Amino acid sequence: MKSLSLSIAAGILLHLTANAQSMEKFQPKLQAANTLSIDKLREQNLNVVRKAVEGIRENLPQQVDAYTELVDVESNGTTLIYIFEVKAGVKTDATLKEEGAQIAPRIREGICLSSKRFLEADISLRYRYISSTTKAEVLRVDVDRTQCQTGSPRRQIKRL
């Protein structure tokens, strides 16, 4: 019985060795990279952003902290735009802008950590903060994948 098993194993090994030269060499490749054009990838990202907007909007508004509420989400091409409302009591828009400029680097770092999947897919994010009393924009933080690759996001804060 042992010799029969060894004979079968040897026959299989000889067969595989003989056919190995005629077989194509395995070359791993990503299907998406070879089958999707840049235009198709961009179109796919547009759809991802649209679907994200739909999904996030279902759960709005959301309280972020004692002063901030996520009130809306929009898209502009492959940019996902979060709109926050800041309840600052008697603070002026100018004061909110100053305070926002100070905390913007931490906001950007948080975006880099929490939104890696979007950023790696070349989907940009924008966080807009508006005053609850005047409805004026008091801070905007834009982030794309290049700002998150170096460990510390570059300062690209739009001062309003």
Side-chain angles (χ1 to χ4, degrees), residues 42-109:
R42 285 188 186 123
E43 183 180 328
Q44 185 177 24
N45 281 353
L46 289 170
N47 288 330
V48 167
V49 171
R50 279 188 228 124
K51 291 293 183 186
V53 167
E54 289 173 17
I56 295 167
R57 274 191 178 154
E58 291 176 4
N59 300 306
L60 295 181
Q62 283 188 7
Q63 197 68 36
V64 176
D65 59 31
Y67 306 101
T68 314
E69 185 175 37
L70 177 61
V71 294
D72 199 7
V73 63
E74 301 172 345
S75 66
N76 182 7
T78 58
T79 299
L80 189 56
I81 304 166
Y82 292 88
I83 301 169
F84 299 90
E85 195 168 277
V86 180
K87 297 174 187 132
V90 296
K91 291 183 181 179
T92 66
D93 288 354
T95 301
L96 291 175
K97 288 177 184 182
E98 285 177 28
E99 291 174 356
Q102 292 173 3
I103 65 167
R106 288 191 308 232
I107 294 169
R108 181 170 286 110
E109 288 174 17

